[in-house]
């Protein structure tokens, strides 16, 4: 399955066909936008984002599905192969390729040999609201990292006032259980459940996360005490990264 990218379709076909002649490929172009006539669509005219054709390949007994695209295409194909004997190969194309990067796969056509003949390995996945993820899921994670560089000018009082008025929309009351034990109840502006470190900066939240250890890593903004809350609110308003001591980390098999 291939989604649109800077790599030409012909180049991708040639690279995939460079292996042993005994291999046979069924080729599908998929996408999430309005598709041209040659894109795979279902009976309702909805463009297939990869999950439909991948599921059909699994049902037909395909030994592998190769997802060529960004994390959207990869995740859709991943949903189809989870829990089956069908392997998922990844040809990392496009700007959003976090799973491939976390697995050490090179970008572009350099990842084709790994998809065709690489060692098969199992990784953990999570499920949220019926959708499978292999990197991370959550909300408000960016507020932990901040939006300003250290050398940016301090915000004016008008900007601070606007931010304060908007803070009420950032906080959510949550109750979090890990492996059946309640580990948090209260208000937070950021919650991350991760199987990989994800993009730049998120390794700070989950520094020891491993994609194949059988565990998910939870990180949430959880200040303790009035003074800590003042520090958190000020850093949210000014766009500064939150302090590490205000981020709670827990690891387990089940997070809900």
């Amino acid at each position: 399955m291939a989604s649109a990218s800077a790599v030409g379709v012909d180049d991708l076909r040639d690279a995939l066909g460079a292996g042993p002649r005994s291999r046979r490929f069924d080729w599908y172009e998929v996408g999430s936008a309005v598709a041209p006539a040659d894109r795979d669509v279902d009976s309702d005219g909805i463009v297939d984002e990869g999950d439909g054709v991948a599921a059909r390949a699994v049902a037909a007994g395909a030994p592998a599905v190769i997802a060529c695209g960004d994390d959207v295409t990869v995740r859709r194909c991943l949903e189809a192969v989870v829990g089956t004997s069908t392997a998922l190969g990844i040809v990392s194309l496009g700007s959003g390729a976090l799973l491939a990067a976390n697995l050490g796969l090179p970008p572009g056509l350099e990842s084709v040999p790994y998809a065709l003949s690489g060692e098969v390995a199992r990784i953990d996945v999570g499920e949220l609201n019926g959708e499978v993820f292999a990197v991370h899921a959550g909300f408000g994670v960016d507020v932990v990292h901040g939006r300003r560089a250290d050398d940016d000018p301090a915000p004016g009082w008008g900007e601070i006032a606007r931010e304060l008025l908007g803070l009420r929309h950032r906080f959510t009351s949550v109750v979090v259980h890990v492996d059946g034990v309640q580990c948090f109840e209260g208000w937070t502006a950021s919650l991350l459940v991760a199987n990989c470190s994800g993009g730049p900066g998120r390794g700070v939240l989950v520094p020891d996360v491993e994609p194949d250890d059988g565990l998910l890593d939870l990180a949430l903004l959880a200040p303790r005490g009035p003074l800590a809350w003042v520090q958190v609110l000020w850093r949210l308003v000014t766009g500064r990264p939150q302090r590490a001591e205000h981020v709670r980390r827990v690891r387990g098999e089940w997070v809900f």
Side-chain angles (χ1 to χ4, degrees):
M1 272 63 68
S3 62
S5 73
V7 175
V9 173
D10 291 339
D11 294 334
L12 184 57
R13 286 179 180 269
D14 290 343
L16 289 171
R21 295 182 180 275
S22 59
R23 289 194 179 98
R24 182 181 68 84
F25 292 97
D26 292 327
W27 180 274
Y28 301 92
E29 288 193 56
V30 299
S32 57
V34 177
D38 60 346
R39 294 291 176 89
D40 202 77
V41 297
D42 64 16
S43 59
D44 296 321
I46 299 174
V47 179
D48 194 319
E49 297 182 8
D51 47 351
V53 288
R56 294 201 297 272
V58 171
V65 169
I66 300 178
C68 308
D70 59 13
D71 277 335
V72 175
T73 302
V74 172
R75 189 180 64 80
R76 292 296 188 182
C77 294
L78 180 68
E79 289 183 343
V81 305
V82 165
T84 75
S85 60
T86 300
L88 178 67
I90 300 174
V91 177
S92 174
L93 305 175
S95 57
L98 291 179
L99 179 57
N102 276 274
L103 296 178
L105 298 175
L109 297 181
E110 293 181 13
S111 57
V112 169
Y114 296 88
L116 294 177
S117 305
E119 180 181 352
V120 177
R122 291 185 177 273
I123 65 170
D124 308 322
V125 296
E127 184 177 343
L128 176 66
N129 296 332
E131 294 191 353
V132 170
F133 67 91
V135 181
H136 52 64
F139 63 87
V141 176
D142 290 341
V143 304
V144 177
H145 302 299
R147 306 180 307 282
R148 296 178 181 274
D150 289 337
D151 55 355
D152 283 348
W157 288 110
E159 184 178 351
I160 290 176
R162 288 192 297 272
E163 288 287 341
L164 283 172
L165 289 174
L167 280 180
R168 66 183 184 275
H169 301 299
R170 297 194 188 185
F171 284 90
T172 302
S173 179
V174 298
V175 178
V176 182
H177 295 79
V178 176
D179 291 344
V181 178
Q182 181 176 313
C183 66
F184 180 80
E185 180 178 6
W187 293 87
T188 185
S190 181
L191 184 151
L192 175 73
V193 179
N195 186 51
C196 297
S197 63
R202 297 193 180 188
V204 176
L205 292 180
V206 282
D208 303 321
V209 64
E210 296 289 344
D212 58 356
D213 62 356
L215 301 172
L216 296 172
D217 287 53
L218 167 72
L220 71 152
L221 187 62
R224 295 179 175 90
L227 179 59
W229 270 106
V230 171
Q231 294 173 342
V232 165
L233 291 173
W234 176 250
R235 288 174 176 270
L236 284 173
V237 167
T238 58
R240 301 295 181 184
Q242 296 293 332
R243 293 181 175 178
E245 61 264 29
H246 297 154
V247 179
R248 185 175 302 182
R249 299 179 181 87
V250 187
R251 180 175 293 168
E253 295 184 20
W254 301 91
V255 179
F256 60 94

